[in-house]
Amino acid sequence: LPINGEICSSDLDIINKWTFLCECLAHGTPSGVDNTVSVYGGFVSYKAGSVSTFSTFLTKNNNFRETKLMIMIVNTKIPRSTKNLVNGVRNLYENIENVLNAMGEISEKAWRCLGEDLCEQTVKELMRMAHASLNLLGVSCDELDFVVSQARRYGFSAKLTGAGGGGCAIVLIPEGLLDKIFEDVDEKEFVRFRESLPQDYKCYDVTLGSRGLTLDRME
């Protein structure tokens, strides 16, 4: 890494290639999404076996703008094998091609929504459809479905994330709750939702569309 603390695009490219190789060791044939969005930041569009687009959402003055889209990650701590889940879906491809095509349309609409005027209600509906589609693929589980159903019970939208079969779900945090959440003054329904989850589940509030890899100097 450069000693002056600045990372150029070529540095990021090299780091991204190495992190992708680490993903290959862990998952066999990863998409490349996780390492790309971690290194470059912004949002990633993945299609046809390649990471084709990423965006840092610059303003007209070329200043970085973080999106106001927030999610809560709920870790069920249920272990799963990404490689086995992916292989299971691959083996069923001929029978689920229509489902996969529908999921592609959902993703395309979500991408357009993120790049234009963000509509929270549209994102909520797309998340609902995405989780239903993933259920049809057989990659959800009782624990993830419980998180999703509890979120809906209290008026929020959620879906599994990653390979499924365990691991994590994501819950959309309405924009009106942002300041209150980080001040620990959540609205009652959101508090009730979090309290309805098993105590051993871990919850993390995160910002989507943040910067990627940066270097911070230690004083």
Side-chain angles (χ1 to χ4, degrees), residues 16-196:
N16 191 45
K17 289 178 181 178
W18 279 104
T19 53
F20 178 71
L21 291 176
C22 294
E23 286 278 290
C24 291
L25 291 175
H27 301 306
T29 55
S31 65
V33 167
D34 289 349
N35 53 280
T36 301
V37 76
S38 297
V39 172
Y40 295 107
F43 293 93
V44 169
S45 173
Y46 173 79
K47 187 176 182 180
S50 64
V51 180
S52 57
T53 307
F54 64 88
S55 173
T56 51
F57 285 76
L58 297 177
T59 65
K60 293 181 179 179
N61 297 323
N62 289 327
N63 295 318
F64 186 86
R65 173 177 63 85
E66 282 191 345
T67 176
K68 288 293 185 180
L69 188 63
M70 302 287 297
I71 61 170
M72 182 175 72
I73 300 174
V74 181
N75 186 358
T76 66
K77 298 185 179 180
I78 304 299
R80 78 282 190 272
S81 169
T82 298
K83 185 184 298 185
N84 291 340
L85 287 162
V86 171
N87 287 336
V89 172
R90 184 180 291 117
N91 293 335
L92 294 173
Y93 180 78
E94 291 184 358
N95 297 323
I96 59 175
E97 186 174 359
N98 290 337
V99 177
L100 294 175
N101 290 336
M103 292 176 67
E105 293 179 7
I106 293 171
S107 298
E108 291 284 353
K109 188 169 184 178
W111 180 255
R112 292 194 299 270
C113 182
L114 289 171
E116 300 169 359
D117 292 332
L118 186 63
C119 176
E120 185 178 292
Q121 187 58 41
T122 299
V123 175
K124 289 178 65 174
E125 182 63 17
L126 291 173
M127 289 179 68
R128 184 192 67 79
M129 292 189 292
H131 186 77
S133 300
L134 291 164
N135 252 321
L136 290 175
L137 297 185
V139 296
S140 189
C141 64
D142 291 342
E143 292 80 4
L144 290 170
D145 287 341
F146 176 76
V147 174
V148 173
S149 65
Q150 287 299 97
R152 292 177 185 169
R153 176 184 176 186
Y154 290 99
F156 304 101
S157 186
K159 64 177 288 293
L160 70 84
T161 188
C168 300
I170 56 174
V171 183
L172 181 65
I173 299 176
E175 186 173 352
L177 282 176
L178 293 182
D179 295 335
K180 296 179 181 179
I181 284 176
F182 291 105
E183 293 173 2
D184 293 324
V185 190
D186 306 33
E187 289 189 357
K188 292 181 179 179
E189 290 303 294
F190 199 80
V191 173
R192 289 171 181 165
F193 162 63
R194 296 186 74 152
E195 291 178 345
S196 74

